[in-house]
Amino acid sequence: MNQTIDSSQLTIILADDDVGHRLLIKRNLRRSNITNEVLEFGDGESLIKFLMNCKEDPAQKGRRFLVMLDIRMPRMDGTRALAIIKQDPELKRIPIIMLTTTEDPQEIERCHDLGCNSYVKKPIDHEQFINAIRQLGLYLSIVAVPNLK
Amino acid sequence: MDAQYHDDLSGQHAWTHFIDNLTSFLIFCVIGLIILRYFRRLTDRDNVWGGYSLSGFIFLCGVSHLAESLVLLWPSALLFRILDVLTISSGFLTIILFIPMLPQLLRIPTIGELENEIRRRKDIETRLRDNKETLRSAFAHAPIGMSLVSTDGKWMRVNQQVCQIVDYPEDELLQMTFQQITHPQDLNSDMDLLKACLSGERDSYTMEKRYIRKDGSIVPIQLFVSLVRDAAGKPRFFVSQIKDISQDKALQQQQRKLIGELQQKTDELQQIVYVASHDLRSPLVNIIGFSDELKHCCHSLKKATESGDADVIEPIIREEIPPILEFITSSAKRMDQLLNGLLLYSRMGRYPILLEPIDMNELMQGLSNEFSIQLKKIEGQFVVEHLPPCHGDATLVNQLMLNLIDNAIKYRSPERSLSLRVSGATGKGFIRYTLADNGIGIAPDHQTDIFDIFNQINPAESTGEGLGLSICSLIVNKLGGRIYVESVAGEGAAFHIEIPDAERFPDILKSEQATGNSLFSRVK
């Protein structure tokens, strides 16, 4: 399972304004033996800027991403970033896992409507997180994460 | 025999005989003419022949007397016979012609009966007049507008109320149609309903619409219309009742406004609950997560101690644990800060306003002293111009200014030392204070949402709990004023506060002041 992820040369993108949350997620990833490169962003705006640059840059061709996106962030919140990614013909196939601290059914529905692939609630304890990552791995092996064209 | 009889009529007798009979003839002629005239006037044509016959009979009687009077000059037995036969036959004819009339003739009213009948009719007439008068005054003095309108919309009759509602004198209104004074936007629906009445689809309708008064102002009314038809079912006219509902409308509008305000407050509250639950949860996630990390560290330490692997112990204690602890402490502190802010915000929301004149120069002097050490440390310059006094709650205004000064210090530019200038001006109906700084400024996109609760532009770069400006906005709202910002990003910001004049304070503030608010003491 881990091999599936490793062999795809997947880069995990973490967009969350809370440094602590990012650190916790990274530690949990490492503890689950997920050694993929992790990129961190503190808000939606810088994430979108990065992804748009990747599209233009020939050196980034073939890179595969998986985005973990926090909902409440300054400048541009997670739902808006999600909408932008899912409306972009080239970026829309990037799998996105929404991270949130609340379990607001309306918010969850909205994220699913916008096309998020999974939804995980914080705080995540280690067992839960590993479970989520396993599901994610399974998911990744099924959908075969697309390259950036 | 005849000869003898006529022989007696000589001398004195002859003259008397002549005159008597001639007089009788004349009398009969007159009576006959009267009867003839009377019967010719009758409307009942069937009996005209009876009348002719009767007058003929009487006339013939007269002629008999005429013949008698002339008997001395012209004594003809044949003439007398013919006249007798004619008279008797006309008499019979008259009787025959009058037989069908007999039952009617027998019922001819007496004078007493006629007088009674006249009285009865007069009585009815009086009652009819009374009824008409009652109806007229009911129409005229009805508490709402009453009118009769022709099928093409012309005012036929209106009462005083209608004239008052639409502000036209009666004679002028009666020259107009209702279409002329109906608001154009309401005309089509009114006409549709009116046509439905005329076509027989319905008998009446009611609607709300607007009239345009003579002075051009608009009056909302409730209209009740029903169509009156004649015996044959042909539409005659409309009866409309018109009720001025401008007061109802004003109340409705006020109610809508209140509901809107309430809705806004509820939304605000919901936002606060949502944001608070999220923002409180965020540090909690860190506390739970890093506590879990600590548990892992303990586990590793335990394992290392058991195996005596000292090389592992050192980096765990020196490198892993301290940042974990730091995250836990800072998260707990952030939660504390947030809760303090929420408490302050809620306290402001329930704080009973105490209106009094405020000497702003004195107030600013106090604040200047309070901030003096902090300002000295950052080498900031704080200038307060002479400020006009205002009318408000001193505690709230103090908190307001304190937050704004605190903000200016917090968001000062790292490239230059802070310069903060406070000025004031008296406007029309309000007093404006301006705090202008040379700090980092605010980008145009953010200039309105900085006053929203928990909105921080650079959360990581500042220490605030994101409540300072929302508290300012809450205070200014409570005082019935407004706060807004002018800023060029990177160059500085000027916060303007407008507080209404003492006379212009919203009534609700005064009533709030009168009743006081016991919640405050509980929260405090």
Side-chain angles (χ1 to χ4, degrees):
Chain A
M1 196 163 55
N2 288 336
Q3 273 176 352
T4 322
I5 299 169
D6 288 336
S7 66
S8 66
Q9 288 304 306
L10 190 77
T11 305
I12 294 173
I13 293 177
L14 251 178
D16 195 321
D17 60 325
D18 195 304
V19 192
H21 292 192
R22 294 205 300 262
L23 188 62
L24 284 171
I25 290 167
K26 272 198 300 192
R27 279 173 170 259
N28 276 322
L29 285 171
R30 299 286 173 254
R31 204 167 288 129
S32 310
N33 295 325
I34 296 168
T35 53
N36 298 54
E37 183 191 1
V38 175
L39 291 174
E40 294 178 46
F41 296 92
D43 59 87
E45 209 174 81
S46 53
L47 166 72
I48 294 297
K49 211 178 273 173
F50 168 79
L51 287 175
M52 292 299 167
N53 282 341
C54 282
K55 260 179 22 177
E56 309 296 321
D57 189 355
Q60 304 284 349
K61 233 176 184 176
R63 267 186 99 169
R64 291 153 185 256
F65 295 113
L66 178 137
V67 178
M68 300 180 97
L69 196 55
D70 183 29
I71 290 186
R72 249 188 84 86
M73 283 187 293
R75 287 204 188 90
M76 184 194 287
D77 68 17
T79 37
R80 234 177 98 198
L82 172 69
I84 291 172
I85 294 170
K86 288 299 177 188
Q87 273 160 21
D88 189 293
E90 286 174 56
L91 301 178
K92 68 178 178 190
R93 285 193 289 174
I94 296 176
I96 294 181
I97 298 167
M98 297 307 287
L99 303 170
T100 180
T101 51
T102 51
E103 232 170 348
D104 180 2
Q106 258 182 319
E107 203 172 68
I108 296 174
E109 205 173 300
R110 199 171 125 69
C111 288
H112 280 296
D113 285 347
L114 287 172
C116 85
N117 303 81
S118 190
Y119 196 96
V120 177
K121 187 182 152 252
K122 299 189 274 191
I124 320 151
D125 71 15
H126 185 62
E127 293 302 315
Q128 258 185 336
F129 193 77
I130 286 179
N131 213 12
I133 294 298
R134 282 212 179 104
Q135 280 174 352
L136 174 77
L138 194 64
Y139 172 81
L140 292 178
S141 64
I142 292 168
V143 296
V145 183
N147 299 334
L148 272 183
K149 278 173 205 154
Chain B
M1 199 177 80
D2 281 353
Q4 202 183 340
Y5 165 66
H6 288 124
D7 283 343
D8 297 338
L9 299 170
S10 55
Q12 278 283 226
H13 282 293
W15 280 108
T16 325
H17 182 82
F18 174 73
I19 291 165
D20 283 354
N21 279 300
L22 197 66
T23 314
S24 297
F25 164 70
L26 288 172
I27 291 171
F28 274 109
C29 280
V30 171
I31 292 175
L33 279 172
I34 290 172
I35 290 175
L36 189 66
R37 268 189 75 114
Y38 174 74
F39 274 88
R40 283 183 69 152
R41 277 193 193 164
L42 279 186
T43 49
D44 190 349
R45 288 271 148 199
D46 290 339
N47 280 313
V48 166
W49 291 110
Y52 289 163
S53 169
L54 179 62
S55 56
F57 168 70
I58 288 166
F59 192 67
L60 281 167
C61 288
V63 172
S64 297
H65 280 280
L66 181 66
E68 185 69 35
S69 71
L70 298 175
V71 77
L72 289 177
L73 296 173
W74 187 27
S76 165
L78 182 66
L79 179 68
F80 280 107
R81 288 288 159 272
I82 294 169
L83 278 173
D84 280 348
V85 170
L86 279 176
T87 310
I88 290 163
S89 357
S90 70
F92 271 117
L93 185 67
T94 307
I95 290 167
I96 291 164
L97 284 172
F98 271 94
I99 282 173
M101 274 185 77
L102 265 180
Q104 204 187 324
L105 287 171
L106 288 174
R107 263 194 285 124
I108 281 175
T110 62
I111 288 174
E113 280 174 330
L114 281 176
E115 279 175 351
N116 270 342
E117 179 66 16
I118 289 166
R119 251 200 309 280
R120 201 175 64 86
R121 290 193 181 192
K122 272 191 176 161
D123 200 38
I124 289 172
E125 215 171 89
T126 321
R127 266 189 285 153
L128 271 175
R129 233 195 341 259
D130 282 357
N131 271 350
K132 217 174 147 189
E133 178 56 28
T134 312
L135 278 176
R136 197 197 64 78
S137 53
F139 190 89
H141 302 299
I144 61 171
M146 303 270 280
S147 64
L148 304 185
V149 178
S150 75
T151 48
D152 54 0
K154 209 159 179 313
W155 299 98
M156 292 160 57
R157 270 182 75 177
V158 291
N159 69 356
Q160 215 35 52
Q161 287 278 341
V162 177
C163 298
Q164 269 174 25
I165 292 169
V166 298
D167 193 27
Y168 276 96
E170 187 173 339
D171 50 350
E172 206 169 317
L173 197 58
L174 292 181
Q175 302 297 315
M176 301 169 76
T177 62
F178 80 81
Q179 292 93 324
Q180 281 174 285
I181 57 164
T182 297
H183 193 284
Q185 281 170 9
D186 298 336
L187 191 56
N188 279 346
S189 46
D190 197 356
M191 290 307 281
D192 288 349
L193 288 163
L194 186 124
K195 280 175 195 153
C197 279
L198 288 174
S199 69
E201 274 171 61
R202 56 196 309 160
D203 302 322
S204 62
Y205 65 90
T206 172
M207 70 176 294
E208 266 181 29
K209 68 170 196 177
R210 288 158 291 176
Y211 280 135
I212 299 168
R213 291 160 61 98
K214 197 178 179 185
D215 62 4
S217 62
I218 286 168
V219 56
I221 56 123
Q222 177 80 40
L223 181 67
F224 306 85
V225 178
S226 61
L227 178 62
V228 177
R229 292 171 183 276
D230 62 13
K234 213 181 134 219
R236 285 186 64 198
F237 54 81
F238 291 100
V239 179
S240 342
Q241 297 177 314
I242 298 157
K243 188 173 175 246
D244 183 347
I245 51 167
S246 37
Q247 256 185 349
D248 302 8
K249 282 277 158 196
L251 276 175
Q252 261 177 33
Q253 215 164 11
Q254 201 182 353
Q255 198 179 17
R256 260 203 296 275
K257 198 179 141 222
L258 281 175
I259 290 173
E261 276 171 20
L262 204 64
Q263 186 63 48
Q264 201 193 336
K265 290 264 177 235
T266 315
D267 289 350
E268 228 175 77
L269 210 67
Q270 260 170 359
Q271 202 210 349
I272 291 172
V273 172
Y274 171 79
V275 174
S277 58
H278 176 275
D279 286 16
L280 279 174
R281 195 141 195 179
S282 223
L284 201 62
V285 167
N286 278 336
I287 293 174
I288 294 170
F290 284 106
S291 302
D292 211 42
E293 291 297 321
L294 268 188
K295 207 158 79 187
H296 284 293
C297 291
C298 288
H299 187 71
S300 308
L301 279 177
K302 195 175 155 208
K303 252 176 43 187
T305 344
E306 277 165 7
S307 62
D309 195 350
D311 292 349
V312 183
I313 296 172
E314 180 89 9
I316 290 179
I317 293 175
R318 277 188 187 281
E319 280 148 43
E320 263 194 75
I321 292 179
I324 289 173
L325 284 176
E326 179 54 37
F327 270 112
I328 291 174
T329 335
S330 67
S331 295
K333 270 187 194 153
R334 223 170 93 207
M335 284 180 84
D336 185 50
Q337 250 176 10
L338 271 167
L339 285 171
N340 277 338
L342 271 179
L343 207 60
L344 188 65
Y345 190 89
S346 118
R347 202 183 291 168
M348 288 299 152
R350 320 162 178 217
Y351 183 81
I353 301 262
L354 188 71
L355 292 182
E356 58 190 348
I358 303 170
D359 182 343
M360 286 300 284
N361 296 307
E362 203 179 297
L363 187 136
M364 290 312 282
Q365 187 55 51
L367 283 171
S368 167
N369 292 343
E370 210 169 303
F371 279 101
S372 59
I373 299 170
Q374 211 175 338
L375 284 165
K376 205 170 180 180
K377 207 155 72 181
I378 60 163
E379 290 174 358
Q381 198 192 3
F382 185 48
V383 180
V384 181
E385 293 176 7
H386 184 77
L387 300 175
C390 71
H391 208 82
D393 184 294
T395 318
L396 287 186
V397 174
N398 193 64
Q399 179 76 49
L400 171 68
M401 293 299 171
L402 185 139
N403 280 10
L404 288 175
I405 297 167
D406 193 46
N407 235 47
I409 293 172
K410 209 181 283 170
Y411 295 102
R412 65 183 187 274
S413 168
E415 292 155 17
R416 50 187 177 260
S417 64
L418 172 70
S419 158
L420 176 63
R421 176 176 287 270
V422 185
S423 57
T426 312
K428 205 178 170 190
F430 61 84
I431 295 145
R432 186 198 292 123
Y433 300 106
T434 301
L435 285 87
D437 64 43
N438 62 347
I440 57 172
I442 299 146
D445 315 356
H446 293 297
Q447 284 179 12
T448 51
D449 60 7
I450 48 166
F451 298 106
D452 288 351
I453 184 165
F454 294 108
N455 208 319
Q456 253 180 7
I457 296 135
N458 281 326
E461 294 152 31
S462 71
T463 54
E465 66 286 295
L467 280 166
L469 284 176
S470 35
I471 286 170
C472 290
S473 161
L474 190 76
I475 291 172
V476 176
N477 277 338
K478 278 211 99 163
L479 296 176
R482 67 184 194 123
I483 180 167
Y484 57 99
V485 68
E486 284 176 314
S487 173
V488 177
E491 289 181 16
F495 284 89
H496 302 282
I497 300 149
E498 287 175 9
I499 293 174
D501 274 350
E503 311 89 65
R504 295 200 183 217
F505 264 99
D507 291 337
I508 190 154
L509 280 188
K510 289 170 187 161
S511 66
E512 199 174 306
Q513 188 187 7
T515 53
N517 195 330
S518 59
L519 277 169
F520 177 53
S521 50
R522 232 181 292 161
V523 172
K524 212 173 175 182

